[in-house]
Every structure is written in C-alpha cells, then in structure tokens.
C-alpha cells in the first residue's frame, strides 16, 4: 500500500513542475514593485499609496502574459491541490478594507501594508508546490520591509518597493531551481 504522505508529496512536486513554479507571477510582481519604487521618487505618500494599490491589480494579468516567455504555464497546470491556490488568493484579497483604510488615513503605512498583505499567500501556494523558497520569501519579505519601515522612514516609498522587487526576482530564481530539482526527482522515481 502506498503511503498517502508520499502520494501528496509527489503530487505537490509534479504540480510545481507542471506550473513551471509559477515564476511568471513573481517576475510580474517585481516589475510592478520596480515601478512603485520609481514612483516613490516622484509621488507623495497619498498619491503613491493610491498608485501602488491600483498597480497591484496588474500583477496577475502581467503574470498571465509572461507565462509563455518564462515557461511558467501556471494557468494550464491542473492538480487536486489547485483549490488551495484560489483559497490563498481570496484570503489576501480580504485585506483590501484594511489597505483602503490605511491609504485614506495613514498613507505612509501603505508600502508596509501592501508588501506584507501581498505576501500572505506565499506560504500556502508554496505548500501546494512543495516549495521551501516560497516560505522563505514570505518570511524574509515581512522582516525586511518591517525593518526598513521602522529604521528608514524617509525611504519607505522607494526602498520597500525595490527590496520587494529584488526578493520577487530571487524567489523566481529559487522557484526555477526547485522546478529543475523536482523534475529530476520525479524522473528518477518513475
């Protein structure tokens, strides 16, 4: 009899490989956060907060467009574990009332709120992909943006977006590495 844990672990790795690690999404996120970092040089906090909130809506469509060039067909990858991904996306979107409250009343907090709020799904999606990189990304991201927000208030609109962008790109590279590693493990197990 096959151990259920082994079956689930195999499916998680297979799903990650089939989706190409979903790397088009962190690359899209990096592009949007780079734009936010550039905007931070020119916009005051209220305008930056509104632009960043609106711009965050571009991450998913841009990720879809980048699927082909980055060999990351996350929309075509099917798995019984795929429902976890949708639940995680719904969960991060439940934070929008808090984001809007901060944008309207304390826009200086928007870089922190958006950077942390938009990282909450990483451990969950990472679980469905058997990805340790995803968990590390979320933990490092929360620690880094919190440290910047506290220690460098004058850099909140620039340093936080650029650090998030860099962490997204590191996560994409790490996810690609995991895909290659999992592909080899699955081939040797077959």
């Amino acid at each position: 009899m096959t151990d259920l844990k082994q079956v689930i672990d195999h499916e998680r790795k297979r799903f990650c490989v089939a989706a190409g690690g979903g790397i088009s999404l962190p690359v899209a996120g990096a592009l949007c956060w780079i734009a936010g970092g550039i905007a931070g040089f020119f916009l005051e906090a209220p305008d930056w907060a509104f632009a960043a909130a609106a711009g965050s809506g571009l991450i998913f469509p841009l990720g879809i467009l980048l699927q082909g060039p980055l060999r990351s067909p996350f929309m075509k990858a099917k798995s019984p574990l795929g429902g976890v991904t949708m639940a995680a996306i719904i969960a991060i979107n439940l934070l929008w009332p808090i984001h809007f409250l901060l944008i309207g009343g304390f826009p200086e907090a928007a870089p922190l709120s958006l950077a942390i709020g938009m990282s909450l799904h990483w451990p969950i999606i990472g679980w469905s992909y058997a990805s340790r990189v995803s968990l590390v990304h979320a933990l490092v991201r929360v620690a880094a943006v919190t440290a910047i927000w506290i220690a460098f208030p004058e850099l909140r609109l620039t340093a936080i977006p650029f650090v998030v962008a860099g962490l997204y790109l590191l996560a994409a590279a790490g996810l690609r590495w995991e895909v290659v590693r999992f592909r080899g493990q699955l081939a040797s197990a077959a």
Side-chain angles (χ1 to χ4, degrees):
M1 183 169 174
T2 305
D3 180 17
L4 181 59
K5 185 178 180 326
Q6 289 176 326
V7 170
I8 292 171
D9 187 54
H10 180 273
E11 177 56 24
R12 291 167 61 204
K13 291 175 180 176
R14 189 210 61 79
F15 187 33
C16 182
V17 169
I23 67 162
S24 64
L25 289 166
V27 170
L31 294 172
C32 289
W33 280 92
I34 288 169
I38 293 168
F41 289 113
F42 303 102
L43 300 177
E44 295 297 321
D47 295 328
W48 185 94
F50 180 77
S56 72
L58 297 175
I59 294 173
F60 189 75
L62 185 55
I64 290 173
L65 291 175
L66 292 173
Q67 286 182 103
L70 295 175
R71 297 179 318 232
S72 174
F74 70 92
M75 291 295 288
K76 292 181 182 176
K78 302 299 177 207
S79 171
L81 303 174
V84 171
T85 300
M86 185 52 67
I89 299 302
I90 290 169
I92 66 168
N93 282 299
L94 295 175
L95 286 174
W96 278 105
I98 294 170
H99 295 309
F100 288 135
L101 209 97
L102 289 172
I103 290 167
F106 185 32
E108 295 80 11
L112 182 66
S113 171
L114 292 169
I116 292 174
M118 292 171 32
S119 71
L120 297 180
H121 65 297
W122 275 81
I124 301 162
I125 292 172
W127 179 87
S128 70
Y129 283 172
S131 171
R132 290 194 173 123
V133 167
S134 296
L135 176 61
V136 170
H137 170 83
L139 295 173
V140 170
R141 180 166 157 175
V142 170
V145 301
T146 301
I148 293 167
W149 198 85
I150 292 167
F152 304 102
E154 69 283 358
L155 299 176
R156 290 174 179 164
L157 302 182
T158 54
I160 288 175
F162 287 132
V163 165
V164 170
L167 291 172
Y168 264 135
L169 293 174
L170 288 172
L175 285 162
R176 178 64 77 199
W177 171 77
E178 285 180 329
V179 166
V180 170
R181 191 167 60 94
F182 293 160
R183 188 177 289 129
Q185 289 175 1
L186 295 171
S188 68

PDB file of all heavy atoms in Angstrom, residues 2-29:
ATOM      1  N   THR A   2       0.494   2.247  -0.768  1.00  0.00           N
ATOM      2  CA  THR A   2       1.250   3.483  -0.891  1.00  0.00           C
ATOM      3  C   THR A   2       0.913   4.420   0.255  1.00  0.00           C
ATOM      4  O   THR A   2      -0.239   4.590   0.617  1.00  0.00           O
ATOM      5  CB  THR A   2       0.927   4.163  -2.228  1.00  0.00           C
ATOM      6  OG1 THR A   2       1.173   3.239  -3.285  1.00  0.00           O
ATOM      7  CG2 THR A   2       1.776   5.390  -2.439  1.00  0.00           C
ATOM      8  N   ASP A   3       1.934   5.018   0.799  1.00  0.00           N
ATOM      9  CA  ASP A   3       1.778   5.982   1.873  1.00  0.00           C
ATOM     10  C   ASP A   3       1.150   7.266   1.317  1.00  0.00           C
ATOM     11  O   ASP A   3       1.648   7.840   0.341  1.00  0.00           O
ATOM     12  CB  ASP A   3       3.151   6.264   2.477  1.00  0.00           C
ATOM     13  CG  ASP A   3       3.110   7.254   3.621  1.00  0.00           C
ATOM     14  OD1 ASP A   3       2.022   7.488   4.174  1.00  0.00           O
ATOM     15  OD2 ASP A   3       4.179   7.787   3.942  1.00  0.00           O
ATOM     16  N   LEU A   4       0.064   7.738   1.937  1.00  0.00           N
ATOM     17  CA  LEU A   4      -0.650   8.931   1.470  1.00  0.00           C
ATOM     18  C   LEU A   4       0.267  10.151   1.468  1.00  0.00           C
ATOM     19  O   LEU A   4       0.211  10.975   0.551  1.00  0.00           O
ATOM     20  CB  LEU A   4      -1.892   9.179   2.328  1.00  0.00           C
ATOM     21  CG  LEU A   4      -2.742  10.383   1.939  1.00  0.00           C
ATOM     22  CD1 LEU A   4      -3.246  10.257   0.500  1.00  0.00           C
ATOM     23  CD2 LEU A   4      -3.907  10.534   2.902  1.00  0.00           C
ATOM     24  N   LYS A   5       1.126  10.262   2.452  1.00  0.00           N
ATOM     25  CA  LYS A   5       2.052  11.397   2.512  1.00  0.00           C
ATOM     26  C   LYS A   5       2.962  11.406   1.290  1.00  0.00           C
ATOM     27  O   LYS A   5       3.222  12.466   0.715  1.00  0.00           O
ATOM     28  CB  LYS A   5       2.872  11.335   3.801  1.00  0.00           C
ATOM     29  CG  LYS A   5       3.773  12.531   4.005  1.00  0.00           C
ATOM     30  CD  LYS A   5       4.512  12.437   5.317  1.00  0.00           C
ATOM     31  CE  LYS A   5       5.430  13.573   5.618  1.00  0.00           C
ATOM     32  NZ  LYS A   5       6.114  14.216   4.562  1.00  0.00           N
ATOM     33  N   GLN A   6       3.441  10.254   0.877  1.00  0.00           N
ATOM     34  CA  GLN A   6       4.293  10.160  -0.308  1.00  0.00           C
ATOM     35  C   GLN A   6       3.512  10.541  -1.567  1.00  0.00           C
ATOM     36  O   GLN A   6       4.048  11.218  -2.450  1.00  0.00           O
ATOM     37  CB  GLN A   6       4.872   8.753  -0.460  1.00  0.00           C
ATOM     38  CG  GLN A   6       5.924   8.419   0.558  1.00  0.00           C
ATOM     39  CD  GLN A   6       6.388   6.979   0.422  1.00  0.00           C
ATOM     40  OE1 GLN A   6       5.610   6.082   0.072  1.00  0.00           O
ATOM     41  NE2 GLN A   6       7.667   6.761   0.700  1.00  0.00           N
ATOM     42  N   VAL A   7       2.270  10.110  -1.644  1.00  0.00           N
ATOM     43  CA  VAL A   7       1.431  10.437  -2.804  1.00  0.00           C
ATOM     44  C   VAL A   7       1.229  11.953  -2.893  1.00  0.00           C
ATOM     45  O   VAL A   7       1.366  12.558  -3.960  1.00  0.00           O
ATOM     46  CB  VAL A   7       0.065   9.704  -2.724  1.00  0.00           C
ATOM     47  CG1 VAL A   7      -0.902  10.212  -3.782  1.00  0.00           C
ATOM     48  CG2 VAL A   7       0.267   8.201  -2.845  1.00  0.00           C
ATOM     49  N   ILE A   8       0.923  12.566  -1.760  1.00  0.00           N
ATOM     50  CA  ILE A   8       0.697  14.016  -1.744  1.00  0.00           C
ATOM     51  C   ILE A   8       1.994  14.758  -2.064  1.00  0.00           C
ATOM     52  O   ILE A   8       1.995  15.709  -2.855  1.00  0.00           O
ATOM     53  CB  ILE A   8       0.096  14.462  -0.400  1.00  0.00           C
ATOM     54  CG1 ILE A   8      -1.322  13.912  -0.257  1.00  0.00           C
ATOM     55  CG2 ILE A   8       0.095  15.990  -0.286  1.00  0.00           C
ATOM     56  CD1 ILE A   8      -1.947  14.105   1.112  1.00  0.00           C
ATOM     57  N   ASP A   9       3.110  14.323  -1.495  1.00  0.00           N
ATOM     58  CA  ASP A   9       4.397  14.962  -1.770  1.00  0.00           C
ATOM     59  C   ASP A   9       4.729  14.864  -3.258  1.00  0.00           C
ATOM     60  O   ASP A   9       5.189  15.847  -3.866  1.00  0.00           O
ATOM     61  CB  ASP A   9       5.490  14.315  -0.925  1.00  0.00           C
ATOM     62  CG  ASP A   9       6.811  15.042  -1.051  1.00  0.00           C
ATOM     63  OD1 ASP A   9       6.843  16.269  -0.835  1.00  0.00           O
ATOM     64  OD2 ASP A   9       7.817  14.383  -1.392  1.00  0.00           O
ATOM     65  N   HIS A  10       4.495  13.704  -3.846  1.00  0.00           N
ATOM     66  CA  HIS A  10       4.738  13.521  -5.286  1.00  0.00           C
ATOM     67  C   HIS A  10       3.862  14.480  -6.099  1.00  0.00           C
ATOM     68  O   HIS A  10       4.333  15.125  -7.041  1.00  0.00           O
ATOM     69  CB  HIS A  10       4.464  12.056  -5.678  1.00  0.00           C
ATOM     70  CG  HIS A  10       4.693  11.790  -7.125  1.00  0.00           C
ATOM     71  ND1 HIS A  10       3.718  11.973  -8.081  1.00  0.00           N
ATOM     72  CD2 HIS A  10       5.797  11.372  -7.785  1.00  0.00           C
ATOM     73  CE1 HIS A  10       4.195  11.676  -9.262  1.00  0.00           C
ATOM     74  NE2 HIS A  10       5.456  11.304  -9.119  1.00  0.00           N
ATOM     75  N   GLU A  11       2.602  14.596  -5.731  1.00  0.00           N
ATOM     76  CA  GLU A  11       1.683  15.476  -6.462  1.00  0.00           C
ATOM     77  C   GLU A  11       2.092  16.942  -6.314  1.00  0.00           C
ATOM     78  O   GLU A  11       2.001  17.716  -7.267  1.00  0.00           O
ATOM     79  CB  GLU A  11       0.242  15.276  -6.004  1.00  0.00           C
ATOM     80  CG  GLU A  11      -0.762  16.206  -6.656  1.00  0.00           C
ATOM     81  CD  GLU A  11      -0.764  16.167  -8.183  1.00  0.00           C
ATOM     82  OE1 GLU A  11      -0.348  15.153  -8.786  1.00  0.00           O
ATOM     83  OE2 GLU A  11      -1.176  17.176  -8.795  1.00  0.00           O
ATOM     84  N   ARG A  12       2.530  17.331  -5.143  1.00  0.00           N
ATOM     85  CA  ARG A  12       2.977  18.722  -4.934  1.00  0.00           C
ATOM     86  C   ARG A  12       4.152  19.037  -5.855  1.00  0.00           C
ATOM     87  O   ARG A  12       4.182  20.088  -6.510  1.00  0.00           O
ATOM     88  CB  ARG A  12       3.366  18.937  -3.473  1.00  0.00           C
ATOM     89  CG  ARG A  12       2.174  18.897  -2.518  1.00  0.00           C
ATOM     90  CD  ARG A  12       2.588  18.807  -1.059  1.00  0.00           C
ATOM     91  NE  ARG A  12       3.373  19.958  -0.642  1.00  0.00           N
ATOM     92  CZ  ARG A  12       4.230  19.943   0.379  1.00  0.00           C
ATOM     93  NH1 ARG A  12       4.413  18.840   1.079  1.00  0.00           N
ATOM     94  NH2 ARG A  12       4.885  21.014   0.700  1.00  0.00           N
ATOM     95  N   LYS A  13       5.114  18.155  -5.942  1.00  0.00           N
ATOM     96  CA  LYS A  13       6.273  18.363  -6.813  1.00  0.00           C
ATOM     97  C   LYS A  13       5.870  18.331  -8.290  1.00  0.00           C
ATOM     98  O   LYS A  13       6.346  19.147  -9.085  1.00  0.00           O
ATOM     99  CB  LYS A  13       7.347  17.316  -6.520  1.00  0.00           C
ATOM    100  CG  LYS A  13       7.979  17.511  -5.160  1.00  0.00           C
ATOM    101  CD  LYS A  13       8.955  16.396  -4.825  1.00  0.00           C
ATOM    102  CE  LYS A  13       9.559  16.628  -3.444  1.00  0.00           C
ATOM    103  NZ  LYS A  13      10.438  15.524  -3.042  1.00  0.00           N
ATOM    104  N   ARG A  14       4.982  17.411  -8.638  1.00  0.00           N
ATOM    105  CA  ARG A  14       4.509  17.331 -10.024  1.00  0.00           C
ATOM    106  C   ARG A  14       3.787  18.616 -10.418  1.00  0.00           C
ATOM    107  O   ARG A  14       3.968  19.148 -11.508  1.00  0.00           O
ATOM    108  CB  ARG A  14       3.580  16.125 -10.204  1.00  0.00           C
ATOM    109  CG  ARG A  14       3.220  15.865 -11.673  1.00  0.00           C
ATOM    110  CD  ARG A  14       1.857  15.249 -11.843  1.00  0.00           C
ATOM    111  NE  ARG A  14       0.774  16.058 -11.343  1.00  0.00           N
ATOM    112  CZ  ARG A  14       0.239  17.116 -11.995  1.00  0.00           C
ATOM    113  NH1 ARG A  14       0.703  17.504 -13.155  1.00  0.00           N
ATOM    114  NH2 ARG A  14      -0.771  17.780 -11.465  1.00  0.00           N
ATOM    115  N   PHE A  15       2.968  19.143  -9.505  1.00  0.00           N
ATOM    116  CA  PHE A  15       2.222  20.368  -9.745  1.00  0.00           C
ATOM    117  C   PHE A  15       3.184  21.544  -9.951  1.00  0.00           C
ATOM    118  O   PHE A  15       3.009  22.365 -10.849  1.00  0.00           O
ATOM    119  CB  PHE A  15       1.280  20.623  -8.568  1.00  0.00           C
ATOM    120  CG  PHE A  15       0.308  21.755  -8.732  1.00  0.00           C
ATOM    121  CD1 PHE A  15      -0.242  22.088  -9.966  1.00  0.00           C
ATOM    122  CD2 PHE A  15      -0.091  22.493  -7.620  1.00  0.00           C
ATOM    123  CE1 PHE A  15      -1.152  23.130 -10.091  1.00  0.00           C
ATOM    124  CE2 PHE A  15      -0.994  23.534  -7.730  1.00  0.00           C
ATOM    125  CZ  PHE A  15      -1.518  23.854  -8.975  1.00  0.00           C
ATOM    126  N   CYS A  16       4.220  21.624  -9.131  1.00  0.00           N
ATOM    127  CA  CYS A  16       5.216  22.684  -9.264  1.00  0.00           C
ATOM    128  C   CYS A  16       5.890  22.623 -10.634  1.00  0.00           C
ATOM    129  O   CYS A  16       6.021  23.640 -11.316  1.00  0.00           O
ATOM    130  CB  CYS A  16       6.262  22.572  -8.151  1.00  0.00           C
ATOM    131  SG  CYS A  16       7.508  23.875  -8.175  1.00  0.00           S
ATOM    132  N   VAL A  17       6.282  21.425 -11.047  1.00  0.00           N
ATOM    133  CA  VAL A  17       6.931  21.252 -12.345  1.00  0.00           C
ATOM    134  C   VAL A  17       5.959  21.616 -13.473  1.00  0.00           C
ATOM    135  O   VAL A  17       6.311  22.347 -14.402  1.00  0.00           O
ATOM    136  CB  VAL A  17       7.460  19.810 -12.507  1.00  0.00           C
ATOM    137  CG1 VAL A  17       7.904  19.539 -13.937  1.00  0.00           C
ATOM    138  CG2 VAL A  17       8.602  19.553 -11.520  1.00  0.00           C
ATOM    139  N   ALA A  18       4.729  21.143 -13.392  1.00  0.00           N
ATOM    140  CA  ALA A  18       3.739  21.418 -14.436  1.00  0.00           C
ATOM    141  C   ALA A  18       3.465  22.913 -14.571  1.00  0.00           C
ATOM    142  O   ALA A  18       3.215  23.415 -15.671  1.00  0.00           O
ATOM    143  CB  ALA A  18       2.437  20.676 -14.135  1.00  0.00           C
ATOM    144  N   ALA A  19       3.528  23.638 -13.465  1.00  0.00           N
ATOM    145  CA  ALA A  19       3.270  25.082 -13.468  1.00  0.00           C
ATOM    146  C   ALA A  19       4.523  25.907 -13.737  1.00  0.00           C
ATOM    147  O   ALA A  19       4.460  27.136 -13.756  1.00  0.00           O
ATOM    148  CB  ALA A  19       2.670  25.500 -12.125  1.00  0.00           C
ATOM    149  N   GLY A  20       5.652  25.231 -13.935  1.00  0.00           N
ATOM    150  CA  GLY A  20       6.900  25.968 -14.110  1.00  0.00           C
ATOM    151  C   GLY A  20       7.233  26.800 -12.889  1.00  0.00           C
ATOM    152  O   GLY A  20       7.861  27.852 -12.983  1.00  0.00           O
ATOM    153  N   GLY A  21       6.776  26.332 -11.724  1.00  0.00           N
ATOM    154  CA  GLY A  21       6.999  27.066 -10.483  1.00  0.00           C
ATOM    155  C   GLY A  21       6.182  28.337 -10.380  1.00  0.00           C
ATOM    156  O   GLY A  21       6.310  29.079  -9.414  1.00  0.00           O
ATOM    157  N   GLY A  22       5.348  28.593 -11.375  1.00  0.00           N
ATOM    158  CA  GLY A  22       4.551  29.823 -11.369  1.00  0.00           C
ATOM    159  C   GLY A  22       5.404  31.073 -11.388  1.00  0.00           C
ATOM    160  O   GLY A  22       4.971  32.139 -10.949  1.00  0.00           O
ATOM    161  N   ILE A  23       6.625  30.982 -11.941  1.00  0.00           N
ATOM    162  CA  ILE A  23       7.572  32.095 -11.824  1.00  0.00           C
ATOM    163  C   ILE A  23       7.146  33.354 -12.563  1.00  0.00           C
ATOM    164  O   ILE A  23       7.647  34.443 -12.269  1.00  0.00           O
ATOM    165  CB  ILE A  23       8.997  31.709 -12.239  1.00  0.00           C
ATOM    166  CG1 ILE A  23       9.083  31.411 -13.728  1.00  0.00           C
ATOM    167  CG2 ILE A  23       9.526  30.578 -11.392  1.00  0.00           C
ATOM    168  CD1 ILE A  23      10.497  31.449 -14.255  1.00  0.00           C
ATOM    169  N   SER A  24       6.223  33.230 -13.486  1.00  0.00           N
ATOM    170  CA  SER A  24       5.802  34.454 -14.188  1.00  0.00           C
ATOM    171  C   SER A  24       5.117  35.429 -13.236  1.00  0.00           C
ATOM    172  O   SER A  24       5.164  36.650 -13.451  1.00  0.00           O
ATOM    173  CB  SER A  24       4.893  34.120 -15.367  1.00  0.00           C
ATOM    174  OG  SER A  24       3.686  33.521 -14.937  1.00  0.00           O
ATOM    175  N   LEU A  25       4.527  34.935 -12.176  1.00  0.00           N
ATOM    176  CA  LEU A  25       3.866  35.823 -11.216  1.00  0.00           C
ATOM    177  C   LEU A  25       4.867  36.617 -10.374  1.00  0.00           C
ATOM    178  O   LEU A  25       4.719  37.839 -10.255  1.00  0.00           O
ATOM    179  CB  LEU A  25       2.886  35.039 -10.347  1.00  0.00           C
ATOM    180  CG  LEU A  25       1.650  34.573 -11.117  1.00  0.00           C
ATOM    181  CD1 LEU A  25       0.885  33.538 -10.329  1.00  0.00           C
ATOM    182  CD2 LEU A  25       0.766  35.753 -11.474  1.00  0.00           C
ATOM    183  N   PRO A  26       5.898  36.019  -9.779  1.00  0.00           N
ATOM    184  CA  PRO A  26       6.854  36.862  -9.070  1.00  0.00           C
ATOM    185  C   PRO A  26       7.623  37.802  -9.996  1.00  0.00           C
ATOM    186  O   PRO A  26       7.969  38.922  -9.599  1.00  0.00           O
ATOM    187  CB  PRO A  26       7.781  35.884  -8.351  1.00  0.00           C
ATOM    188  CG  PRO A  26       7.491  34.549  -8.895  1.00  0.00           C
ATOM    189  CD  PRO A  26       6.141  34.595  -9.525  1.00  0.00           C
ATOM    190  N   VAL A  27       7.859  37.404 -11.238  1.00  0.00           N
ATOM    191  CA  VAL A  27       8.519  38.324 -12.171  1.00  0.00           C
ATOM    192  C   VAL A  27       7.594  39.509 -12.445  1.00  0.00           C
ATOM    193  O   VAL A  27       8.029  40.667 -12.439  1.00  0.00           O
ATOM    194  CB  VAL A  27       8.938  37.600 -13.471  1.00  0.00           C
ATOM    195  CG1 VAL A  27       9.396  38.595 -14.524  1.00  0.00           C
ATOM    196  CG2 VAL A  27      10.044  36.581 -13.179  1.00  0.00           C
ATOM    197  N   ALA A  28       6.308  39.240 -12.650  1.00  0.00           N
ATOM    198  CA  ALA A  28       5.335  40.322 -12.841  1.00  0.00           C
ATOM    199  C   ALA A  28       5.276  41.203 -11.598  1.00  0.00           C
ATOM    200  O   ALA A  28       5.232  42.438 -11.694  1.00  0.00           O
ATOM    201  CB  ALA A  28       3.958  39.748 -13.154  1.00  0.00           C
ATOM    202  N   GLY A  29       5.293  40.592 -10.426  1.00  0.00           N
ATOM    203  CA  GLY A  29       5.303  41.353  -9.178  1.00  0.00           C
ATOM    204  C   GLY A  29       6.528  42.241  -9.085  1.00  0.00           C
ATOM    205  O   GLY A  29       6.440  43.404  -8.672  1.00  0.00           O
TER     206      GLY A  29
END
